[in-house]
Amino acid sequence: MTADAADATGDGDLPVVELDNVEIVYDRHFLAVQGVSMSADEGDIVALLGPNGAGKSTILKMISGIGRSERGEVTRGRVLYRGENVTNDGANEMVGRGITHILEGRRVFEDLTVEENLRCGLYREGRRFRFDEDDYQIAFEYFPQLEDIMDLKAGYASGGQQQMLVIARALIHRPNLLLLDEPSLGLAPKLVRDIFETLVEINRREDITMLIADQNAKRTLGIADYGYVMENGQIELHDPADELVQREEIKEFYLGTSGEDSRYTDVRHYKIRKRWT
Ligand SMILES: Nc1ncnc2c1ncn2[C@@H]1O[C@H](COP(=O)(O)OP(=O)(O)OP(=O)(O)O)[C@@H](O)[C@H]1O
């Protein structure tokens, strides 16, 4: 929905997604997330940062509804989508609302070609078997490289091409809200830079709100409007991204001093060392 359309429906000022004091439990007893309140406004890119196990993926999964199939449950608080209470709604309903989740680990269908993988993106509209080349145009517009490898089995594509493919496939859904889990994982710095620049372009031109969970704090805050930092299932810090990068604890612990692409885990070790020295 464009900003104008949102205004016309009267929900222009509501966040696209909002978590209100949310607690998430797996298997009825494992407390993964507690007391989390956060939101993403229309058209924003929001960064969700933190180390392994902090709870970033869990939050994305409960927003997209996928968490339910992993025996995750919001046991306290509420998840709102454009003001509507969608707490514990399933993945089908969330896809129907225009939420697309790009899971960690570049989940391509390895035995299908790049084209067949893209075609899966039409599923939302029930057009899995009826497609037309125009449907791919949005994919090629942002990732022209894909046009040259349409017949390649996705399993043989490089890590960068697979990441482009999963983002392109998500774009074919024409989402309102795109959830990205670790898009920089395992990619060379130059590729991460290119992909993040493309995400900004997509955000601006397609008016897609994005929530990006990543450990590459510098890159992610570099493109984000707002950032949240998680540890042990809770939000430790949050601020507009340009203010967050200036904060001492972020500079010291989350961005490190060893180079622009240092990841949280590198500085986490530093933080632990520092505690004991
Ligand atoms: N399906 C599941 N069942 C039970 N516990 C889970 C499940 N998924 C995650 N957890 C646990 O919930 C906690 C938060 O994990 P989560 O994957 O959300 O963290 P994360 O910040 O995304 O880290 P990573 O970057 O490693 O994915 C961890 O302790 C994890 O072991």
Side-chain angles (χ1 to χ4, degrees), residues 68-248:
R68 297 283 285 162
S69 56
E70 295 188 8
R71 300 170 59 87
E73 194 182 357
V74 175
T75 43
R76 268 198 202 145
R78 297 179 310 162
V79 180
L80 305 168
Y81 178 73
R82 297 190 190 286
E84 182 189 355
N85 189 344
V86 296
T87 315
N88 290 321
D89 277 7
N92 272 351
E93 287 150 293
M94 300 313 269
V95 167
R97 290 189 173 97
I99 298 176
T100 301
H101 188 166
I102 299 178
L103 294 163
E104 182 177 348
R106 301 192 277 280
R107 312 280 179 96
V108 296
F109 298 107
E110 294 192 351
D111 291 331
L112 300 185
T113 65
V114 166
E115 177 172 10
E116 287 162 343
N117 268 272
L118 284 177
R119 234 188 280 169
C120 296
L122 298 173
Y123 177 69
R124 176 187 167 197
E125 297 169 55
R127 294 195 296 131
R128 221 175 347 164
F129 305 111
R130 280 189 300 115
F131 64 97
D132 138 352
E133 305 246 318
D134 283 353
D135 290 321
Y136 301 143
Q137 284 319 308
I138 190 162
F140 297 154
E141 204 176 320
Y142 293 102
F143 302 105
Q145 301 94 316
L146 293 179
E147 205 164 357
D148 301 329
I149 56 165
M150 289 290 266
D151 295 328
L152 183 70
K153 279 204 173 169
Y156 293 119
S158 69
Q161 288 169 333
Q162 289 184 355
Q163 187 62 336
M164 292 176 202
L165 175 56
V166 293
I167 299 172
R169 186 174 64 196
L171 276 184
I172 290 179
H173 278 232
R174 303 277 174 173
N176 307 314
L177 173 64
L178 191 55
L179 309 172
L180 295 112
D181 200 347
E182 297 278 358
S184 79
L185 190 68
L187 298 182
K190 158 100 177 63
L191 258 175
V192 174
R193 201 158 45 237
D194 291 350
I195 285 178
F196 275 40
E197 275 170 16
T198 306
L199 288 175
V200 172
E201 225 181 297
I202 292 168
N203 163 260
R204 304 264 153 80
R205 286 171 47 198
E206 307 297 330
D207 199 19
I208 296 174
T209 306
M210 295 181 183
L211 183 50
I212 306 178
D214 209 289
Q215 289 189 46
N216 189 327
K218 189 154 194 168
R219 275 275 159 249
T220 315
L221 286 177
I223 64 164
D225 298 287
Y226 203 88
Y228 293 87
V229 180
M230 291 191 75
E231 256 198 80
N232 298 324
Q234 293 176 307
I235 304 279
E236 289 289 327
L237 292 168
H238 63 95
D239 252 331
D242 53 351
E243 290 174 29
L244 211 47
V245 285
Q246 299 304 326
R247 289 177 66 147
E248 278 312 313

Side-chain angles (χ1 to χ4, degrees), residues 13-44:
D13 294 334
L14 290 173
V16 175
V17 68
E18 188 177 2
L19 273 65
D20 173 23
N21 202 22
V22 159
E23 174 182 278
I24 302 171
V25 171
Y26 283 110
D27 289 320
R28 292 181 180 262
H29 71 275
F30 183 82
L31 179 61
V33 163
Q34 56 180 320
V36 165
S37 294
M38 58 182 296
S39 64
D41 287 334
E42 184 82 47
D44 273 2

